[in-house]
Amino acid sequence: MSDLPHENDQPDPLDAFEELVAEETDRDPDLAVIEAGSRTLRTQGGPPEADVPARPADPEVDRALREVETELATRWGETKLEPSVARIAALMDVMGEPQRAYPSIHITGTNGKTSTARMIEALLNAFELRTGRYTSPHVQSITERISLDGAPISAERFIETYNDIKPYVEMVDGQQEYRLSFFEVLTGMAYAAFADAPVDVAVVEVGMGGSWDATNVIDGDVAVVTPIDLDHTDRLGGTPAEIATEKSGIIKQDATVILAQQPVDAAQVLLKKAVEVDATVAREGLEFGVVARQVAVGGQLLTLRGLGGEYPEVYLPLHGAHQAHNAAVALAAVEAFFGVGAQRSEPLDVDTVRKAFAAVSSPGRLEVVRRSPTIVLDAAHNPAGAEAAAEAVREAFDFTRLIGVVGASGDKNVRGLLEAFEPIFTEVVVTQNSSHRAMDADELAAIAVEVFGDERVQVEPRLPDALEAAITLAEEEGEFAGGGVLVTGSVITVGEARLLLGKG
Protein backbone atom coordinates (compact mmCIF):
# COMPACT_ATOMS: atom_id res chain seq x y z
CA MET A 1 0.00 0.00 0.00
CA SER A 2 1.16 3.54 -0.69
CA ASP A 3 2.12 5.55 2.38
CA LEU A 4 0.50 8.63 0.87
CA PRO A 5 -2.75 9.71 2.61
CA HIS A 6 -5.88 7.98 1.33
CA GLU A 7 -9.34 9.39 0.89
CA ASN A 8 -10.62 7.28 3.80
CA ASP A 9 -8.06 8.88 6.10
CA GLN A 10 -8.95 12.49 5.30
CA PRO A 11 -12.29 14.24 4.78
CA ASP A 12 -10.97 16.03 1.69
CA PRO A 13 -8.53 14.09 -0.53
CA LEU A 14 -7.39 17.23 -2.34
CA ASP A 15 -6.48 18.88 0.98
CA ALA A 16 -4.40 15.84 1.87
CA PHE A 17 -2.65 15.93 -1.49
CA GLU A 18 -1.89 19.65 -1.16
CA GLU A 19 -0.59 19.13 2.38
CA LEU A 20 1.79 16.47 1.10
CA VAL A 21 3.05 18.74 -1.67
CA ALA A 22 3.46 21.66 0.75
CA GLU A 23 5.29 19.47 3.24
CA GLU A 24 7.68 18.17 0.61
CA THR A 25 8.29 21.48 -1.15
CA ASP A 26 9.31 23.11 2.12
CA ARG A 27 12.41 20.99 1.66
CA ASP A 28 14.75 21.03 -1.32
CA PRO A 29 12.51 21.08 -4.46
CA ASP A 30 14.51 18.36 -6.19
CA LEU A 31 14.26 16.11 -3.15
CA ALA A 32 10.50 16.70 -3.02
CA VAL A 33 10.14 15.49 -6.59
CA ILE A 34 12.29 12.45 -5.98
CA GLU A 35 10.40 11.55 -2.79
CA ALA A 36 6.95 11.94 -4.36
CA GLY A 37 7.98 9.76 -7.28
CA SER A 38 9.80 7.10 -5.29
CA ARG A 39 6.84 6.53 -2.98
CA THR A 40 4.64 5.80 -5.96
CA LEU A 41 7.27 3.72 -7.70
CA ARG A 42 7.64 1.53 -4.63
CA THR A 43 3.92 0.87 -4.84
CA GLN A 44 3.60 0.35 -8.57
CA GLY A 45 6.96 -1.12 -9.51
CA GLY A 46 7.92 1.52 -12.07
CA PRO A 47 6.89 2.16 -15.63
CA PRO A 48 5.99 -0.86 -17.72
CA GLU A 49 7.85 -2.10 -20.74
CA ALA A 50 6.35 -0.77 -23.95
CA ASP A 51 4.46 -3.48 -25.85
CA VAL A 52 5.97 -3.32 -29.33
CA PRO A 53 6.28 -6.78 -30.89
CA ALA A 54 9.36 -7.94 -32.75
CA ARG A 55 9.32 -9.88 -36.01
CA PRO A 56 8.07 -13.46 -35.56
CA ALA A 57 10.79 -15.86 -34.49
CA ASP A 58 9.34 -18.68 -36.60
CA PRO A 59 10.65 -18.24 -40.19
CA GLU A 60 7.44 -19.63 -41.68
CA VAL A 61 5.24 -17.25 -39.70
CA ASP A 62 7.52 -14.36 -40.60
CA ARG A 63 7.31 -15.31 -44.28
CA ALA A 64 3.52 -15.50 -44.14
CA LEU A 65 3.31 -12.13 -42.37
CA ARG A 66 5.54 -10.56 -45.01
CA GLU A 67 3.24 -11.93 -47.70
CA VAL A 68 0.25 -10.26 -46.04
CA GLU A 69 2.20 -7.00 -45.66
CA THR A 70 3.17 -7.16 -49.34
CA GLU A 71 -0.44 -7.71 -50.42
CA LEU A 72 -1.62 -4.82 -48.26
CA ALA A 73 1.10 -2.61 -49.71
CA THR A 74 -0.37 -2.99 -53.19
CA ARG A 75 -3.41 -1.02 -52.05
CA TRP A 76 -3.80 2.72 -51.63
CA GLY A 77 -1.67 3.92 -48.76
CA GLU A 78 -2.98 5.89 -45.83
CA THR A 79 -2.25 9.22 -47.48
CA LYS A 80 -4.24 8.51 -50.64
CA LEU A 81 -7.93 8.90 -49.88
CA GLU A 82 -11.28 8.99 -51.61
CA PRO A 83 -13.51 10.51 -48.92
CA SER A 84 -16.27 7.97 -48.57
CA VAL A 85 -17.34 5.18 -46.23
CA ALA A 86 -19.10 3.34 -49.08
CA ARG A 87 -16.39 0.71 -49.54
CA ILE A 88 -15.92 -0.08 -45.83
CA ALA A 89 -19.71 -0.13 -45.35
CA ALA A 90 -19.98 -2.63 -48.20
CA LEU A 91 -17.29 -4.77 -46.59
CA MET A 92 -19.06 -4.70 -43.24
CA ASP A 93 -22.31 -5.69 -44.97
CA VAL A 94 -20.91 -8.80 -46.64
CA MET A 95 -19.09 -9.74 -43.42
CA GLY A 96 -22.31 -9.59 -41.40
CA GLU A 97 -21.70 -6.26 -39.61
CA PRO A 98 -19.08 -7.45 -37.09
CA GLN A 99 -18.69 -3.88 -35.77
CA ARG A 100 -22.21 -4.10 -34.30
CA ALA A 101 -21.27 -7.01 -32.02
CA TYR A 102 -19.86 -4.82 -29.22
CA PRO A 103 -20.13 -1.28 -27.83
CA SER A 104 -17.34 1.12 -28.71
CA ILE A 105 -15.47 4.23 -27.67
CA HIS A 106 -14.48 6.25 -30.74
CA ILE A 107 -11.56 8.71 -30.62
CA THR A 108 -10.70 11.58 -32.94
CA GLY A 109 -8.63 14.77 -32.64
CA THR A 110 -5.27 16.00 -33.89
CA ASN A 111 -2.80 14.96 -31.19
CA GLY A 112 -2.91 12.51 -28.30
CA LYS A 113 -5.30 9.96 -29.80
CA THR A 114 -3.11 6.88 -29.42
CA SER A 115 -1.96 7.68 -25.88
CA THR A 116 -5.55 8.39 -24.86
CA ALA A 117 -6.70 5.13 -26.45
CA ARG A 118 -4.06 3.22 -24.52
CA MET A 119 -5.14 4.83 -21.25
CA ILE A 120 -8.81 4.04 -21.94
CA GLU A 121 -7.87 0.47 -22.72
CA ALA A 122 -5.84 0.14 -19.51
CA LEU A 123 -8.73 1.44 -17.43
CA LEU A 124 -11.25 -0.91 -19.04
CA ASN A 125 -8.90 -3.86 -18.59
CA ALA A 126 -8.42 -2.97 -14.93
CA PHE A 127 -12.20 -3.18 -14.51
CA GLU A 128 -12.05 -6.68 -16.02
CA LEU A 129 -13.55 -5.96 -19.42
CA ARG A 130 -12.22 -7.64 -22.55
CA THR A 131 -11.04 -4.94 -24.91
CA GLY A 132 -10.13 -4.52 -28.54
CA ARG A 133 -8.00 -1.50 -29.46
CA TYR A 134 -7.44 -0.22 -33.00
CA THR A 135 -4.84 2.53 -33.41
CA SER A 136 -2.60 3.91 -36.14
CA PRO A 137 0.01 4.29 -37.39
CA HIS A 138 2.22 1.58 -35.94
CA VAL A 139 5.66 2.25 -34.49
CA GLN A 140 7.43 -0.91 -35.63
CA SER A 141 5.08 -3.80 -36.38
CA ILE A 142 1.81 -3.70 -38.29
CA THR A 143 0.34 -6.08 -35.71
CA GLU A 144 0.49 -3.25 -33.11
CA ARG A 145 -2.56 -1.69 -34.73
CA ILE A 146 -4.94 -4.39 -33.50
CA SER A 147 -4.79 -5.25 -29.80
CA LEU A 148 -6.81 -7.59 -27.61
CA ASP A 149 -6.82 -7.15 -23.83
CA GLY A 150 -3.94 -4.68 -23.96
CA ALA A 151 -1.57 -6.67 -26.15
CA PRO A 152 -1.03 -6.64 -29.93
CA ILE A 153 -2.50 -9.68 -31.61
CA SER A 154 0.01 -12.34 -32.53
CA ALA A 155 1.42 -12.53 -36.02
CA GLU A 156 -0.38 -15.85 -36.46
CA ARG A 157 -3.73 -14.29 -35.54
CA PHE A 158 -3.07 -11.30 -37.77
CA ILE A 159 -2.41 -13.61 -40.73
CA GLU A 160 -5.46 -15.75 -39.93
CA THR A 161 -7.72 -12.69 -39.68
CA TYR A 162 -6.47 -11.38 -43.02
CA ASN A 163 -7.06 -14.72 -44.70
CA ASP A 164 -10.53 -14.94 -43.16
CA ILE A 165 -11.71 -11.64 -44.59
CA LYS A 166 -9.74 -11.79 -47.86
CA PRO A 167 -12.60 -13.38 -49.89
CA TYR A 168 -14.97 -10.61 -48.73
CA VAL A 169 -12.39 -7.96 -49.54
CA GLU A 170 -11.99 -9.31 -53.05
CA MET A 171 -15.77 -9.43 -53.47
CA VAL A 172 -16.09 -5.75 -52.52
CA ASP A 173 -13.10 -4.80 -54.67
CA GLY A 174 -14.93 -6.18 -57.68
CA GLN A 175 -18.08 -4.17 -56.94
CA GLN A 176 -16.60 -0.74 -56.20
CA GLU A 177 -15.08 1.96 -58.40
CA TYR A 178 -11.90 1.81 -56.29
CA ARG A 179 -10.41 -1.12 -54.42
CA LEU A 180 -10.45 -1.06 -50.64
CA SER A 181 -7.47 0.86 -49.31
CA PHE A 182 -4.76 -0.41 -46.97
CA PHE A 183 -6.45 1.31 -44.01
CA GLU A 184 -9.92 0.08 -44.95
CA VAL A 185 -8.76 -3.54 -45.06
CA LEU A 186 -7.01 -3.18 -41.70
CA THR A 187 -10.15 -1.64 -40.24
CA GLY A 188 -12.17 -4.58 -41.47
CA MET A 189 -9.63 -6.93 -39.92
CA ALA A 190 -9.83 -5.13 -36.57
CA TYR A 191 -13.61 -5.22 -36.43
CA ALA A 192 -13.62 -8.89 -37.39
CA ALA A 193 -10.96 -9.77 -34.81
CA PHE A 194 -12.90 -7.96 -32.08
CA ALA A 195 -16.12 -9.81 -32.93
CA ASP A 196 -14.31 -13.13 -33.07
CA ALA A 197 -12.58 -12.65 -29.67
CA PRO A 198 -15.24 -11.55 -28.59
CA VAL A 199 -14.57 -8.25 -26.82
CA ASP A 200 -16.75 -6.41 -24.33
CA VAL A 201 -15.82 -3.02 -25.76
CA ALA A 202 -13.76 -1.69 -28.67
CA VAL A 203 -11.51 1.37 -28.36
CA VAL A 204 -11.15 2.78 -31.86
CA GLU A 205 -8.93 5.63 -33.06
CA VAL A 206 -9.79 7.28 -36.36
CA GLY A 207 -7.18 7.21 -39.09
CA MET A 208 -7.88 10.75 -40.29
CA GLY A 209 -10.76 13.14 -39.76
CA GLY A 210 -14.03 11.57 -38.75
CA SER A 211 -17.05 11.70 -41.05
CA TRP A 212 -15.54 9.76 -43.93
CA ASP A 213 -12.88 7.90 -41.96
CA ALA A 214 -13.04 4.15 -42.48
CA THR A 215 -13.56 3.55 -38.76
CA ASN A 216 -16.79 5.56 -38.83
CA VAL A 217 -19.05 2.61 -39.55
CA ILE A 218 -19.33 2.20 -35.79
CA ASP A 219 -21.71 4.17 -33.60
CA GLY A 220 -19.57 4.92 -30.57
CA ASP A 221 -21.43 4.99 -27.26
CA VAL A 222 -18.74 7.46 -26.23
CA ALA A 223 -17.12 9.88 -28.68
CA VAL A 224 -13.79 11.38 -27.59
CA VAL A 225 -12.27 14.46 -29.21
CA THR A 226 -8.66 15.14 -28.23
CA PRO A 227 -7.20 18.62 -28.89
CA ILE A 228 -7.74 19.85 -32.44
CA ASP A 229 -4.99 21.73 -34.23
CA LEU A 230 -3.84 22.29 -37.80
CA ASP A 231 -2.73 19.07 -39.49
CA HIS A 232 -3.71 17.39 -42.78
CA THR A 233 -5.04 20.81 -43.81
CA ASP A 234 -5.14 19.81 -47.47
CA ARG A 235 -7.79 17.20 -46.63
CA LEU A 236 -9.50 18.43 -43.46
CA GLY A 237 -9.52 22.21 -43.80
CA GLY A 238 -7.35 25.20 -43.01
CA THR A 239 -8.87 26.31 -39.69
CA PRO A 240 -9.66 24.51 -36.42
CA ALA A 241 -13.38 25.05 -37.12
CA GLU A 242 -13.16 23.38 -40.55
CA ILE A 243 -11.18 20.48 -39.12
CA ALA A 244 -13.66 20.15 -36.24
CA THR A 245 -16.51 19.95 -38.75
CA GLU A 246 -14.97 16.84 -40.25
CA LYS A 247 -14.01 15.32 -36.90
CA SER A 248 -17.49 15.93 -35.44
CA GLY A 249 -18.72 13.17 -37.73
CA ILE A 250 -17.98 10.56 -35.07
CA ILE A 251 -20.57 12.12 -32.71
CA LYS A 252 -23.64 9.93 -33.06
CA GLN A 253 -27.22 10.08 -31.85
CA ASP A 254 -27.56 10.00 -28.04
CA ALA A 255 -23.84 9.41 -27.52
CA THR A 256 -21.76 10.91 -24.74
CA VAL A 257 -19.08 13.30 -26.00
CA ILE A 258 -15.86 13.84 -24.07
CA LEU A 259 -14.19 17.05 -25.23
CA ALA A 260 -10.59 17.87 -24.44
CA GLN A 261 -9.71 21.56 -24.28
CA GLN A 262 -10.31 22.99 -27.75
CA PRO A 263 -9.83 26.23 -29.69
CA VAL A 264 -13.00 28.30 -29.32
CA ASP A 265 -14.08 27.96 -32.96
CA ALA A 266 -13.54 24.19 -32.89
CA ALA A 267 -15.48 23.85 -29.62
CA GLN A 268 -18.42 25.74 -31.10
CA VAL A 269 -18.61 23.35 -34.04
CA LEU A 270 -18.40 20.27 -31.83
CA LEU A 271 -21.03 21.54 -29.38
CA LYS A 272 -23.39 22.42 -32.23
CA LYS A 273 -23.09 18.88 -33.61
CA ALA A 274 -23.74 17.43 -30.16
CA VAL A 275 -26.94 19.46 -29.85
CA GLU A 276 -28.10 18.30 -33.29
CA VAL A 277 -27.87 14.62 -32.33
CA ASP A 278 -28.96 14.95 -28.68
CA ALA A 279 -25.56 13.91 -27.41
CA THR A 280 -24.48 14.58 -23.82
CA VAL A 281 -21.29 16.63 -23.53
CA ALA A 282 -18.58 16.69 -20.86
CA ARG A 283 -15.88 19.35 -21.29
CA GLU A 284 -12.37 19.37 -19.92
CA GLY A 285 -11.97 22.27 -17.54
CA LEU A 286 -15.65 22.26 -16.63
CA GLU A 287 -17.08 18.80 -15.99
CA PHE A 288 -13.68 17.11 -15.60
CA GLY A 289 -9.99 17.93 -15.69
CA VAL A 290 -6.56 17.93 -14.08
CA VAL A 291 -6.68 19.32 -10.52
CA ALA A 292 -2.97 19.02 -9.74
CA ARG A 293 0.14 17.48 -11.19
CA GLN A 294 3.66 17.02 -9.89
CA VAL A 295 6.75 15.72 -11.66
CA ALA A 296 7.76 12.34 -10.26
CA VAL A 297 10.44 9.78 -11.03
CA GLY A 298 9.62 8.25 -14.40
CA GLY A 299 6.43 10.25 -14.90
CA GLN A 300 4.08 12.38 -12.85
CA LEU A 301 1.70 12.28 -9.90
CA LEU A 302 -1.81 13.54 -10.62
CA THR A 303 -5.05 14.48 -8.98
CA LEU A 304 -7.81 14.12 -11.56
CA ARG A 305 -11.37 15.32 -11.35
CA GLY A 306 -13.70 12.97 -13.14
CA LEU A 307 -17.42 13.01 -13.80
CA GLY A 308 -18.03 11.31 -10.45
CA GLY A 309 -15.51 13.00 -8.19
CA GLU A 310 -11.80 13.37 -7.56
CA TYR A 311 -9.09 10.75 -7.92
CA PRO A 312 -5.95 11.70 -5.94
CA GLU A 313 -2.49 10.10 -5.99
CA VAL A 314 -2.67 8.81 -9.56
CA TYR A 315 0.81 7.91 -10.83
CA LEU A 316 1.20 8.13 -14.62
CA PRO A 317 4.50 6.80 -16.03
CA LEU A 318 4.43 9.26 -18.97
CA HIS A 319 5.95 12.71 -19.20
CA GLY A 320 4.37 16.06 -19.91
CA ALA A 321 1.32 18.17 -19.13
CA HIS A 322 -0.26 16.94 -22.37
CA GLN A 323 -0.24 13.37 -21.06
CA ALA A 324 -1.90 14.51 -17.83
CA HIS A 325 -4.67 16.06 -19.91
CA ASN A 326 -4.91 12.87 -21.98
CA ALA A 327 -5.33 10.97 -18.70
CA ALA A 328 -8.19 13.24 -17.63
CA VAL A 329 -9.92 12.71 -20.98
CA ALA A 330 -9.42 8.94 -20.80
CA LEU A 331 -10.81 8.76 -17.26
CA ALA A 332 -13.89 10.79 -18.22
CA ALA A 333 -14.45 8.57 -21.26
CA VAL A 334 -14.40 5.40 -19.15
CA GLU A 335 -16.61 6.98 -16.51
CA ALA A 336 -19.09 7.91 -19.25
CA PHE A 337 -18.96 4.36 -20.61
CA PHE A 338 -19.88 3.03 -17.16
CA GLY A 339 -22.62 5.63 -16.75
CA VAL A 340 -20.89 7.71 -14.09
CA GLY A 341 -22.54 11.12 -13.97
CA ALA A 342 -25.66 9.77 -15.65
CA GLN A 343 -26.99 6.45 -14.30
CA ARG A 344 -24.72 6.52 -11.24
CA SER A 345 -23.21 9.30 -9.15
CA GLU A 346 -20.41 7.52 -7.32
CA PRO A 347 -16.91 7.56 -8.87
CA LEU A 348 -15.01 4.53 -10.10
CA ASP A 349 -12.94 2.60 -7.57
CA VAL A 350 -9.92 4.83 -7.02
CA ASP A 351 -7.45 2.00 -6.35
CA THR A 352 -8.40 0.31 -9.61
CA VAL A 353 -7.96 3.61 -11.45
CA ARG A 354 -4.52 4.08 -9.88
CA LYS A 355 -3.48 0.56 -10.83
CA ALA A 356 -4.61 1.09 -14.42
CA PHE A 357 -2.79 4.36 -14.98
CA ALA A 358 0.40 3.03 -13.39
CA ALA A 359 0.43 0.27 -16.02
CA VAL A 360 0.09 2.58 -19.04
CA SER A 361 2.77 2.65 -21.71
CA SER A 362 2.86 4.61 -24.96
CA PRO A 363 5.78 3.60 -27.21
CA GLY A 364 7.44 6.45 -29.03
CA ARG A 365 5.91 9.14 -26.81
CA LEU A 366 8.85 10.65 -24.88
CA GLU A 367 10.07 7.10 -24.45
CA VAL A 368 13.53 6.67 -22.95
CA VAL A 369 15.24 3.83 -24.79
CA ARG A 370 18.88 4.20 -23.71
CA ARG A 371 21.06 5.86 -21.07
CA SER A 372 24.60 7.33 -21.26
CA PRO A 373 23.70 9.40 -23.11
CA THR A 374 19.95 9.40 -22.60
CA ILE A 375 18.10 8.81 -25.87
CA VAL A 376 14.44 9.76 -26.00
CA LEU A 377 11.99 8.99 -28.81
CA ASP A 378 8.94 11.12 -29.53
CA ALA A 379 6.62 10.80 -32.52
CA ALA A 380 5.70 14.51 -32.71
CA HIS A 381 5.07 15.31 -36.37
CA ASN A 382 3.27 18.68 -36.30
CA PRO A 383 3.91 21.99 -34.50
CA ALA A 384 1.35 21.41 -31.74
CA GLY A 385 2.78 17.99 -30.93
CA ALA A 386 6.33 19.37 -31.04
CA GLU A 387 5.45 22.21 -28.66
CA ALA A 388 3.94 19.76 -26.18
CA ALA A 389 6.97 17.49 -26.42
CA ALA A 390 9.44 20.37 -26.02
CA GLU A 391 7.66 21.63 -22.92
CA ALA A 392 7.62 18.12 -21.45
CA VAL A 393 11.36 17.71 -22.09
CA ARG A 394 12.04 20.98 -20.25
CA GLU A 395 9.98 19.78 -17.32
CA ALA A 396 11.00 16.14 -17.02
CA PHE A 397 14.66 16.06 -18.08
CA ASP A 398 17.68 18.03 -16.91
CA PHE A 399 19.69 18.05 -20.13
CA THR A 400 22.60 20.48 -20.33
CA ARG A 401 22.99 19.64 -24.00
CA LEU A 402 20.23 18.15 -26.16
CA ILE A 403 20.81 17.01 -29.72
CA GLY A 404 17.82 16.58 -32.00
CA VAL A 405 17.57 13.92 -34.68
CA VAL A 406 14.77 14.96 -37.00
CA GLY A 407 13.35 13.02 -39.93
CA ALA A 408 10.00 14.35 -41.13
CA SER A 409 7.41 13.70 -43.81
CA GLY A 410 7.29 16.06 -46.76
CA ASP A 411 3.59 16.80 -46.37
CA LYS A 412 3.94 18.25 -42.85
CA ASN A 413 4.54 21.75 -41.50
CA VAL A 414 8.23 21.04 -41.02
CA ARG A 415 9.21 24.65 -40.36
CA GLY A 416 6.67 24.90 -37.55
CA LEU A 417 7.90 21.63 -36.07
CA LEU A 418 11.55 22.77 -36.14
CA GLU A 419 10.67 26.17 -34.66
CA ALA A 420 8.95 24.44 -31.73
CA PHE A 421 12.07 22.40 -30.97
CA GLU A 422 14.62 25.16 -31.63
CA PRO A 423 14.72 26.49 -28.04
CA ILE A 424 15.60 23.11 -26.56
CA PHE A 425 17.99 21.72 -29.20
CA THR A 426 21.66 22.63 -28.85
CA GLU A 427 22.19 21.22 -32.33
CA VAL A 428 20.08 19.25 -34.78
CA VAL A 429 20.99 16.35 -37.05
CA VAL A 430 18.58 16.16 -39.97
CA THR A 431 17.96 12.84 -41.65
CA GLN A 432 15.28 10.88 -43.47
CA ASN A 433 13.45 7.64 -42.85
CA SER A 434 12.78 4.90 -45.38
CA SER A 435 9.24 5.99 -46.24
CA HIS A 436 8.45 7.33 -49.69
CA ARG A 437 6.79 10.24 -47.86
CA ALA A 438 10.04 11.25 -46.13
CA MET A 439 11.32 14.74 -46.83
CA ASP A 440 14.72 14.69 -48.52
CA ALA A 441 17.44 15.30 -45.94
CA ASP A 442 18.99 18.16 -47.91
CA GLU A 443 15.60 19.84 -48.31
CA LEU A 444 14.96 19.45 -44.59
CA ALA A 445 18.45 20.82 -43.87
CA ALA A 446 17.75 23.96 -45.87
CA ILE A 447 14.75 24.72 -43.67
CA ALA A 448 16.66 23.76 -40.52
CA VAL A 449 19.47 26.20 -41.37
CA GLU A 450 16.92 29.01 -41.64
CA VAL A 451 15.56 28.10 -38.19
CA PHE A 452 18.76 27.11 -36.30
CA GLY A 453 21.57 28.75 -38.24
CA ASP A 454 24.21 26.93 -40.25
CA GLU A 455 26.51 26.10 -37.31
CA ARG A 456 23.81 24.18 -35.43
CA VAL A 457 22.74 21.90 -38.29
CA GLN A 458 24.33 18.66 -39.43
CA VAL A 459 23.06 16.52 -42.31
CA GLU A 460 23.16 12.72 -42.22
CA PRO A 461 20.78 11.22 -44.82
CA ARG A 462 21.06 7.72 -43.31
CA LEU A 463 19.32 7.32 -39.96
CA PRO A 464 22.03 5.05 -38.44
CA ASP A 465 24.64 7.72 -39.25
CA ALA A 466 22.38 10.43 -37.82
CA LEU A 467 22.01 8.55 -34.53
CA GLU A 468 25.74 7.98 -34.29
CA ALA A 469 26.46 11.64 -35.02
CA ALA A 470 23.93 12.80 -32.43
CA ILE A 471 25.33 10.51 -29.74
CA THR A 472 28.84 11.83 -30.47
CA LEU A 473 27.62 15.43 -30.19
CA ALA A 474 25.76 14.68 -26.96
CA GLU A 475 28.92 13.24 -25.40
CA GLU A 476 31.18 16.15 -26.36
CA GLU A 477 31.16 17.65 -22.87
CA GLY A 478 31.95 14.37 -21.16
CA GLU A 479 30.15 11.29 -19.88
CA PHE A 480 28.54 13.02 -16.90
CA ALA A 481 27.71 16.37 -18.51
CA GLY A 482 24.00 15.72 -18.98
CA GLY A 483 23.86 15.39 -22.75
CA GLY A 484 20.92 13.73 -24.45
CA VAL A 485 19.38 12.90 -27.81
CA LEU A 486 15.76 13.37 -28.89
CA VAL A 487 14.67 11.51 -32.03
CA THR A 488 11.50 12.97 -33.51
CA GLY A 489 9.63 14.27 -36.57
CA SER A 490 7.69 11.18 -37.62
CA VAL A 491 6.29 7.94 -36.24
CA ILE A 492 8.28 6.13 -38.95
CA THR A 493 11.54 7.82 -37.93
CA VAL A 494 10.90 6.89 -34.31
CA GLY A 495 10.03 3.29 -35.19
CA GLU A 496 13.16 2.81 -37.30
CA ALA A 497 15.32 4.42 -34.60
CA ARG A 498 13.75 2.13 -32.04
CA LEU A 499 14.81 -0.92 -34.03
CA LEU A 500 18.31 0.43 -34.57
CA LEU A 501 18.64 1.01 -30.83
CA GLY A 502 17.74 -2.59 -30.06
CA LYS A 503 14.09 -2.21 -29.06
CA GLY A 504 11.90 -4.89 -30.60
Side-chain angles (χ1 to χ4, degrees), residues 174-207:
Q175 297 170 346
Q176 299 291 319
E177 182 179 1
Y178 304 106
R179 297 170 71 213
L180 287 154
S181 70
F182 168 88
F183 187 73
E184 287 168 334
V185 174
L186 278 174
T187 302
M189 289 174 60
Y191 290 161
F194 298 161
D196 185 59
V199 302
D200 297 314
V201 55
V203 182
V204 178
E205 172 190 338
V206 303

Side-chain angles (χ1 to χ4, degrees), residues 318-386:
L318 301 175
H319 300 292
H322 61 296
Q323 294 289 17
H325 290 289
N326 289 340
V329 169
L331 176 60
V334 173
E335 284 183 310
F337 182 79
F338 284 123
V340 175
Q343 289 89 6
R344 50 181 283 192
S345 58
E346 67 276 10
L348 301 176
D349 179 73
V350 66
D351 288 330
T352 304
V353 168
R354 289 178 183 135
K355 178 181 177 183
F357 275 119
V360 168
S361 68
S362 194
R365 277 72 180 180
L366 287 179
E367 179 188 11
V368 177
V369 293
R370 184 175 290 187
R371 301 286 185 180
S372 299
T374 299
I375 301 178
V376 184
L377 308 180
D378 192 82
H381 55 272
N382 57 44

Side-chain angles (χ1 to χ4, degrees), residues 55-56 58-72 142 155-160 162-163:
R55 295 297 309 186
D58 186 325
E60 286 303 307
V61 175
D62 188 51
R63 178 191 58 76
L65 179 60
R66 291 185 189 277
E67 287 179 359
V68 172
E69 292 170 323
T70 300
E71 288 186 26
L72 288 170
I142 194 171
E156 292 88 344
R157 191 162 192 167
F158 187 91
I159 297 161
E160 180 183 354
Y162 176 77
N163 289 331

Side-chain angles (χ1 to χ4, degrees), residues 33-82:
V33 169
I34 292 169
E35 178 64 18
S38 63
R39 289 182 181 186
T40 310
L41 290 171
R42 283 198 300 271
T43 304
Q44 309 295 355
E49 285 293 314
D51 54 341
V52 177
R55 295 297 309 186
D58 186 325
E60 286 303 307
V61 175
D62 188 51
R63 178 191 58 76
L65 179 60
R66 291 185 189 277
E67 287 179 359
V68 172
E69 292 170 323
T70 300
E71 288 186 26
L72 288 170
T74 65
R75 298 180 175 275
W76 277 0
E78 289 170 284
T79 59
K80 186 172 182 180
L81 304 166
E82 193 274 321

